[in-house]
Amino acid sequence: MSNNALQFQEYEYAMPQPNAERIRQSIVYKLIFILGIDPKDATPENWLNAAMFAARDLMTESFLHTRRAHESQRKRMVYYLSMEFLMGRAFTNALINQNLYEPFAQAFKELGLDLGEISEHEADPGLGNGGLGRLAACFLDSLATLRIPAMGYGIRYQYGMFKQEIVDGQQVEKPDLWLDNDMAWQFSRPNKRFLVHFGGHCVHFDGKVTWQPAEQISAIAYDEIVPGFGAQVANPLRLWTAHTGDLFDLSKFNRGDYFAAMEQQQKNENIANVLYPNDDTNEGKVLRLKQEYFLVSASVQDIIDRHLCRFPNIKTLADEVAIHLNDTHPVLAIPELMRVLMDEHHLPFDEAWAMCQKIFSYTNHTLMSEALEKWSVNLMLNLLPRHLDIIYKINSVFLEQVKASGYDDDFVRRVSIIVDEHDGQQVRMAWLAVIASHKINGVAKLHSDLMVSSLFADFAKLFPERFTNVTNGVTPRRWIAVANPPLAALLDKYLETSDWRIHLDKLVKLNEFSGSLQVQQEFADVKRAAKVRLADYVERELGIKISPDALFDVQIKRIHAYKRQSMNILHIVHRYFQILDNPNADWQARVFILAGKAASAYHEAKHTIRLINDVAKVINNDSRVRDLIKVVFIPNYSVSLAQLIIPAADLSEQISLAGKEASGTSNMKFALNGALTIGTLDGANVEIHERVGDEHSFIFGNTVEQVEALYARGYNPYEFVDNDPDLRRVFHAIANGHFSPEETSRYSALMHNGDHFQRYADFRAYVDTQLKVDAHYRDQAAWRKSAIINIANMGYFSSDRSIEDYCRDIWYIKPLTEQELPNNGRG
Ligand SMILES: *Cc1c(COP(=O)(O)O)cnc(C)c1O
C-alpha cells in the first residue's frame, strides 16, 4: 500500500475534536506530556503553550491536506519573498480563522481560566518594522483564506524588532528575545537544509564559469502554519535560520587554522540574528547584504527543489512558478536564479533570462531616494562575485537593446543598473528589479502614478505595459474579528450574515443604517467599550487617567519626519495655548494618543519622541487645561498594541506630506473600526476619501502638485512661520525650550531643520481643519453616522481584494477549488 493512501482520519482517535470537552483534555494532555508540567504548577504561559499545541494539532490537518493538494493538483504557485513578516500574535487569530474560539473559551472556563486573559501572555513576534512587514502578514492571511497555492519565505530572526522603553521621555531599545516563548507554532524542518555560499572568486574554464566560494553556511527551515479563514487551507510561512553545523570557513579550515574557522562560524551564525530596525532608509551594511542573499539563496534552491518534485523538467519552471519580491530587499533572487539556471542546470543566458522575466514581479514601496537600495560594486565583488558578473551581463544586454532602439547616451546612463557615485560604482537594486520583472506595482493609485511619472519615468517609456497598481488592503479577520469582537457582533447582527469576513464588500449594506439612532447607539456602545479598555491599559501601564468621554485623537505608526508627528505636536501645543488664552470657550476635550518606534540611529525621530513626552509632561500637569487635553505616548508599538488602540480611536491622523506615504495601511484599519480620518491627499487616503466622501472625512493641506511647486521655487519655512502669528508662537515656544526648561536648546534643531517635509506650510490648514473636527464631534449623531459610513465603505480595502488583483493581473494564479481539497472544513 502506498503511503499516499493513508488518510488522516485513521488517526482521528488521537486528534482533539473541536468540542470543548476534547479540547480541554487535549490541553491538559499537552501540558503534562509535551511540556512536562504538573497542572497544579502551571503558569498562564504554560497553559497558553499547551493550548497552542492543542490548536496546532487541529490546524495541522488543514496544513497537510493543503500540502497534498499542492502536490497532487500541480497548480501554478506563488512564492512571496519578504525580509519582513509582522505577523502579530498567532493564537487568537488561529482560533478565529479555524472557528475554534468558542470551544477553546469553554474548555478554559472548565479549567477555571479565562481565554482572553491567557492569550495576552503570547509574545508578539516582531519580525518586521512596520507597514511593509504587516502588509506581508495580511497578504499571507488572504492567500490562505482564498485558497491560493502560495508560500511565504522570510528569515527567522532571533531578535526581532527591538522592544521600546521610554526612560525620562526618551526611547531606549531593549532586545526582544521572542523565541524564548514561542515554540509551539512552528515546525522545525531539519531536513530542509540548503547551503548558502559567500565570497571567493569565479573560475572561467572552457567557456564555462564556476563560482568557487570561500564560505558556506546552512539555511534550515522552520515552517509557521498560516491558517486561512474557514479552516480549509493552511499555507506555510517558511522562515530560515542560519546554522554552520559541521561546516566552517573553508579556506581557514583547510589551512589548519581551527580557531579562526570557529570564529568565522560564530560570525556566520549572526546572519539571522537580528532584524535591521530601519524603516524607509537604507544603511548599506555588509551584514544586511548577507541576510538578503541568505534569504534568497535558500528560497530559490527550495523553490527549484519543489518544482523538480512536481515536474520532470527545469525548463517548465516559468509556467509553474511566480516569485514576488516585496520591495527590493529580495532582488538578489534574480541573479541567484540566473546563476542556478546557467551554472547548475546549464541553460544558456537568453533562455534563463526569458524565464526570469516571466517568473519575477516586484512591488515598489517608496519613492524616497534615501530608501532606495544601492549596493557598492566593491562589496558585491567581495561577497557575491558570480552574481556581480551576472548583473553586469544583464546590464550590458539590456543597455545594448536600449541603444539599438535609438535612445541617447544620457538616457542609457540613466537606465543603467550600475551607476557612478562619489563613493564608487553602485548597483541600483530597483533598476535590476524593473528590468527583470514582467510586472511592477505601486501600492496605491497615487503612488503608482507618481512611480511612473518620477522614479521609473525612463523605464515607463521602455516598458509601459509592465507598470501597474495594486492598492494595499488589510485583513478583516485580524483587524475586526480578532481586534474588535463587539464590532464584529454588531456587523453580524445588522448585515444578517457573518460573510463580511470573507466578502468585505458586504459592509456596504451598513450605509442603510447610518441614520438609525438604534444602530448609532449600538456603535457608540462598541466604541465606548474599546475606549474604556484602552483607558484602563493607559492607567495601568502609564499611570495616566484619561476619560473615555473625550475625543480620542490617534497617530500610531513608525516615527519618521515624512509622517510628520511633529506637525501633530504643533497642533497640540497650539491648542494648549488657545485654551490658556480662552479657558471658558466651549472646548472639546481630547486625548492625543501617539505611539511608534524610531530607528535606533535616526536622531531626529528620537528627538520627536522626546518632544512628544516633554509636551505631554507639561500639558498633563497644567491644572489650567483641566481635562481638555491629555497627551499620551504609549511605548512599544506593535501589532498587539495596534489591535488594542485602533478600535478605541475616534480620529485617525494620516498627515504625511503629500507624495511621501506610498499607501499607508493603518488609515484602512482605523476607518474599518469607525474612526474618521484627518489626512492629506497622500497614499491610500486619496482612495479612502473618494469612497467615504467629503462630509465624513477631513482632508487638508497641499497637494502633490503644490508641494512640488513649493520645492521648485525654493521652499523657505520661515516665510510660513513669520506670516502666521499662531505658528510663530508655537514655533518659538518649542524651539526656545518652553517644554524643556532644563535644556532650552533641546528642540532648536528639530524646529530649525529646513522643514524638508513642509510642516509649516500645512500648519494653518491643519489647525483650521481640526476646528471642523471639533464641530462635527459636538454633534454626536452626525459623528456616529459618519463613523458608520466610514465602516460601510471600506469593503475595497480588504487584503482579499488586493490578493485577487495580484492573482489576476500579476501572478496568473488560480485558487484551489473546494473539490481539489479534502473536505475538512470546520467553517
Ligand atoms: C498597520 C501597521 C503599521 C503601518 O502603519 P502606517 O500608519 O500605515 O504606517 C505599522 N506597524 C504596525 C504594528 C501596524 O499594525
Side-chain angles (χ1 to χ4, degrees), residues 86 129-131 134 479 556-558 563 637-639 642 654 661 664-667 669:
L86 197 50
N129 274 284
R134 184 54 230 174
W479 295 108
I556 51 174
K557 47 184 78 243
R558 286 302 290 255
K563 293 178 184 275
Y637 184 49
S638 58
V639 174
Q654 306 296 340
E661 186 75 89
T665 47
S666 79
N667 45 6
K669 302 166 197 166

Side-chain angles (χ1 to χ4, degrees), residues 230-477:
Q232 293 186 320
V233 160
N235 284 334
L237 166 57
R238 185 156 283 179
L239 299 173
W240 300 107
T241 55
H243 189 48
T244 35
D246 51 3
L247 300 156
F248 300 90
D249 178 305
L250 303 173
S251 55
K252 292 201 181 88
F253 209 60
N254 292 341
R255 272 189 267 121
D257 193 346
Y258 171 78
F259 197 79
M262 288 300 275
E263 245 183 336
Q264 191 63 41
Q265 177 184 16
Q266 288 287 317
K267 261 198 218 142
N268 282 339
E269 293 203 342
N270 280 344
I271 285 184
N273 232 35
V274 60
L275 167 75
Y276 274 82
N278 282 318
D279 202 55
D280 287 309
T281 49
N282 171 42
E283 267 197 309
K285 293 266 166 52
V286 184
L287 182 60
R288 170 72 179 193
L289 184 61
K290 280 188 152 185
Q291 287 185 339
E292 294 184 355
Y293 180 64
F294 177 74
L295 166 66
V296 306
S297 174
S299 306
V300 164
Q301 292 180 66
D302 193 35
I303 289 167
I304 289 177
D305 260 25
R306 291 170 52 84
H307 173 78
L308 293 176
C309 281
R310 296 200 302 168
F311 302 96
N313 197 327
I314 190 76
K315 293 192 176 197
T316 60
L317 187 71
D319 302 322
E320 311 300 342
V321 159
I323 301 179
H324 196 79
L325 307 171
N326 192 26
D327 210 325
T328 54
H329 316 147
V331 159
L332 286 169
I334 296 161
E336 175 66 357
L337 182 58
M338 287 295 289
R339 184 188 69 80
V340 174
L341 293 177
M342 294 191 307
D343 299 358
E344 293 175 15
H345 293 272
H346 312 293
L347 298 186
F349 176 90
D350 290 341
E351 193 176 348
W353 184 235
M355 284 167 67
C356 279
Q357 287 181 307
K358 283 176 74 181
I359 289 171
F360 286 108
S361 51
Y362 152 64
T363 296
N364 172 272
H365 283 270
T366 177
L367 306 174
M368 292 192 299
S369 55
E370 64 268 34
L372 294 175
E373 276 194 301
K374 285 179 219 155
W375 291 104
S376 98
V377 163
N378 278 331
L379 178 57
M380 281 253 216
L381 184 63
N382 281 327
L383 215 57
L384 300 165
R386 179 62 181 134
H387 298 79
L388 184 64
D389 241 21
I390 290 169
I391 292 169
Y392 275 134
K393 170 81 177 173
I394 291 170
N395 199 39
S396 76
V397 168
F398 166 66
L399 294 182
E400 281 312 314
Q401 285 167 357
V402 175
K403 280 179 210 157
S405 309
Y407 287 95
D408 62 25
D409 289 352
D410 195 42
F411 186 96
V412 172
R413 239 191 321 279
R414 292 203 305 270
V415 295
S416 170
I417 298 172
I418 311 291
V419 59
D420 276 314
E421 293 200 342
H422 61 91
D423 47 352
Q425 289 197 315
Q426 309 281 324
V427 181
R428 292 190 272 212
M429 302 307 268
W431 272 218
L432 176 54
V434 168
I435 292 164
S437 297
H438 65 283
K439 290 283 171 180
I440 300 109
N441 74 289
V443 288
K445 233 184 327 190
L446 176 69
H447 166 66
S448 296
D449 289 346
L450 292 172
M451 182 178 81
V452 162
S453 65
S454 62
L455 182 63
F456 296 142
D458 291 327
F459 291 106
K461 280 204 189 104
L462 295 171
F463 319 117
E465 72 292 346
R466 290 191 189 181
F467 292 90
T468 186
N469 172 246
V470 179
T471 298
N472 283 167
V474 299
T475 168
R477 274 76 65 183

Side-chain angles (χ1 to χ4, degrees), residues 25-42:
Q25 289 171 7
S26 174
I27 293 171
V28 176
Y29 180 92
K30 300 290 180 192
L31 185 75
I32 298 173
F33 295 104
I34 301 284
L35 302 176
I37 287 170
D38 186 332
K40 82 175 169 53
D41 301 328

